Amino acid sequence: SATLFPNPTTGNSLLSLELEQAGFLDIRVIDPSGRLVEQRKVAANAGAFRYTMASQALAEGHYTIQVEGAGLFDTVSWLVVR
């Protein structure tokens, strides 16, 4: 399952997960009202996957990170503090 560290954060967090197969991942950031505020499509190899999530452009609050693709769908909560 996906993890974020540090969480809560005042800056960047590292999204980490293990992939069974290579492929493209859609990484979405959903704000507390359910609005999509960021979306990235990234290529990923099988095995350990790491991606830096930057929070500097986001307001303080609870966000949901959705990761979909390469045979995976996962969500993780992300707390941005100022």
Side-chain angles (χ1 to χ4, degrees):
S1 69
T3 61
L4 278 170
F5 182 81
N7 191 12
T9 188
T10 58
N12 294 340
S13 289
L14 188 65
L15 175 66
S16 303
L17 52 109
E18 292 291 324
L19 297 174
E20 293 183 13
Q21 64 190 48
F24 286 95
L25 295 177
D26 284 314
I27 301 172
R28 299 179 199 95
V29 180
I30 312 297
D31 76 6
S33 68
R35 184 174 60 98
L36 177 67
V37 293
E38 184 178 334
Q39 182 169 2
R40 302 267 188 237
K41 187 177 216 63
V42 297
N45 294 320
F49 174 79
R50 307 289 180 263
Y51 186 79
T52 300
M53 303 290 300
S55 73
Q56 289 83 354
L58 301 173
E60 182 171 271
H62 284 90
Y63 293 83
T64 299
I65 309 300
Q66 294 178 342
V67 183
E68 183 175 9
L72 172 85
F73 181 81
D74 203 353
T75 62
V76 61
S77 293
W78 190 26
L79 179 58
V80 174
V81 294
R82 298 286 175 238

